[in-house]
Each structure stands twice: as structure tokens, then as C-alpha cells.
Amino acid sequence: AMAGGSWARAVRGLLLDVSGVLYDSGADGGVPIAGSAEAVRRIKASGLKLQLCTNETQATRENFVRKLRAMGFDISVAEVTAPAPAACHLLKERGLRPHLLVHNDLVPEFAEFDKTNPNCVVLGDAAENFTYANLNEAFRLLIGMEKPVLISLGKGRYYKETDGLKLDVGAYMKALEYACDIQAEVVGKPAKRFFESALAELGVPPEQAIMIGDDIVNDVGGAQQCGMRALQVRTGKYRPADENHPEVKPDAYVNNLAEAVDIILQQL
């Protein structure tokens, strides 16, 4: 039997990171992590609430969920908190016209917005669209604005695909911040507002929720700053060096989602 520390007690809901916890993404669509689809089924059968809290910005939520379902994950669009819808809310609130530097597959999320004469830049994980020309165009727009507004859909450094690690949106966000001497507004993890909206959708207060992720800073650190417990999985982009992180100390390390769920369900 596995010892479940006090971290596993009095839980009513789980927030799960997706890439590196449920599956490893890849050009081939990706590969589910062993035991994770079954773990999601067990969470649901137990009556615990479940919300995916992802920084995924290479697909619309609909297509993302379709892909997860094809891999055997019982997930609905309502169970996914993702940066693009949150960014749309912010753009609407402030009457902004975005210039998009995002993945082609994400563009439909922003269909409702006027993109002529843009007064902000929205940056997502554009992958192959992160060309010099595209970055330079975003730079020129920003540097030409009286009050430059850069909205970044996350600030991750890198993520893991089936063929290795990939640079994430945060690296390009930093480049534009540096060139323009500005600060981006981050929509997505680790922004407090983003975790709070995921908790609101989960319908559980932070002290009764546990976040499970592979990113020590954005998943674990971000969740803990919102008053949640947070676990680090040793899957996805986890590296042994994460266990000596100077600032962030997870409530526990688990080998994978399945092991976390075993321990949590034993405490119910």
C-alpha cells in the first residue's frame, strides 16, 4: 500500500494539467501516458469533480477535446479551462483589436474580433509560425503603439513532445518584452486569475482542490500561490533537477497521474 500523506485529505476536486500528465503531444497527434485514461475514469466514478487546466493553444477547445476523446479520455469541452477563451473575454472587456501571432489551428477562437488596425498583440504557442518575419511584424506593431499591449497565452519555457523538448510561448514572449521594454499580460497558468476561473468552473474552493502537473513553476507554483495543494508528476517534461527547485516545493511527487489517483481515492 502507498502512504498517502496529509496532502491527500479533504479533497473535493482535481485540476489536471493535460500535456505531460494525460498525454505527450507530438506531430502524430501524441501518445497517452500509461494509466491516465483509466485514472480519469476512476476520478469521475469516485464523485470527485474534475477540470482540465491547460495552457494548450495549438487547437480550439473543440478540436482539443475531440483528440483527447479519440485517445480514450472521457472529457467534455465544459471540463477544459484554456487560455484562448479567457483571452477573448479580456479582449471583449477592453474593446481590443488583436494582431494574432498564434498557431493556425487556434485562429477560429478569435473569429468574432475586428483585426484591422490592431491595438494589441496576442501571442500563443505558434510553433512553426514563430518565424523571424512574424516575430518582427509583432515587434513593429508593439513598438509603434503609444501604449503597447502584449497578451501572452501562457509563459511556459518548453514542453515535451514525443520526439523531444520544444520551445514554448514564454521564450518568444520574453523576446518581445525585451525588444519593446514592456511587460506582457499572461492569460493562462501561472496567472492567478486563470487558476481562479478554473476553480470557479470546478465549483470547489482552493483548499479543497489539488492541482496535478508536470511544470514545477507554472502548474505547481501557480496553484500553490492560489492556496491549492499541488503535485508534481514524474512524467512529461519533468526532470530530476525539478526536485531541487529553489522556490517551489510540491506537496508531493508522484510517478504519474494513476499513482496520484490511487493515493487520493484511498483517503476518500
Side-chain angles (χ1 to χ4, degrees):
M2 274 169 290
S6 56
W7 62 263
R9 295 196 177 92
V11 186
R12 284 180 50 221
L14 300 180
L15 286 186
L16 304 184
D17 173 39
V18 179
S19 176
V21 174
L22 298 190
Y23 81 111
D24 283 321
S25 58
D28 46 4
V31 180
I33 291 168
S36 55
E38 179 58 27
V40 167
R41 269 195 296 279
R42 293 176 63 209
I43 292 165
K44 292 197 159 184
S46 75
L48 285 175
K49 292 180 170 187
L50 172 72
Q51 191 74 14
L52 305 188
C53 188
T54 179
N55 271 9
E56 168 65 44
T57 58
Q58 286 195 12
T60 61
R61 271 193 310 174
E62 285 69 23
N63 285 344
F64 184 53
V65 165
R66 199 169 294 137
K67 180 169 91 169
L68 287 174
R69 293 186 72 86
M71 286 186 198
F73 292 101
D74 173 22
I75 292 297
S76 66
V77 171
E79 290 170 315
V80 178
T81 304
C88 288
H89 185 72
L90 187 146
L91 294 172
K92 244 179 283 185
E93 230 172 49
R94 286 159 53 178
L96 292 169
R97 298 180 302 280
H99 168 78
L100 302 176
L101 177 41
V102 300
H103 197 282
N104 294 345
D105 295 343
L106 193 72
V107 172
E109 291 268 22
F110 297 91
E112 64 188 287
F113 295 98
D114 176 11
K115 297 177 198 72
T116 54
N117 188 21
N119 55 6
C120 74
V121 168
V122 173
L123 192 65
D125 179 10
E128 308 303 322
N129 279 352
F130 279 135
T131 61
Y132 177 80
N134 288 347
L135 276 165
N136 200 50
E137 185 187 7
F139 159 73
R140 284 177 170 176
L141 281 168
L142 286 167
I143 204 89
M145 291 174 192
E146 203 180 321
K147 285 209 174 80
V149 176
L150 173 60
I151 295 166
S152 186
L153 306 180
K155 61 185 279 193
R157 293 174 177 155
Y158 55 86
Y159 55 93
K160 180 167 182 272
E161 287 208 332
T162 47
D163 65 347
L165 299 177
K166 299 276 167 105
L167 275 178
D168 202 354
V169 62
Y172 300 94
M173 175 192 94
K174 287 291 182 188
L176 289 172
E177 282 186 334
Y178 179 64
C180 302
D181 195 20
I182 57 171
Q183 283 241 255
E185 299 175 45
V186 177
V187 177
K189 299 176 295 193
K192 203 162 187 193
R193 242 181 93 168
F194 189 68
F195 276 114
E196 284 165 353
S197 66
L199 282 167
E201 287 169 48
L202 192 65
V204 166
E207 60 278 4
Q208 296 182 341
I210 293 180
M211 172 77 198
I212 303 175
D214 70 329
D215 186 319
I216 185 85
V217 174
N218 294 310
D219 294 333
V220 176
Q224 287 176 335
Q225 284 176 337
C226 289
M228 270 183 269
R229 287 161 280 177
L231 309 185
Q232 165 94 27
V233 288
R234 295 188 179 102
T235 54
K237 66 171 166 189
Y238 160 85
R239 295 157 84 211
D242 294 342
E243 305 211 14
N244 304 315
H245 196 277
E247 276 102 57
V248 184
K249 300 276 173 270
D251 290 85
Y253 292 92
V254 288
N255 287 323
N256 49 42
L257 177 63
E259 182 181 88
V261 170
D262 278 344
I263 297 169
I264 291 163
L265 296 187
Q266 281 172 14
Q267 297 281 336
L268 287 185

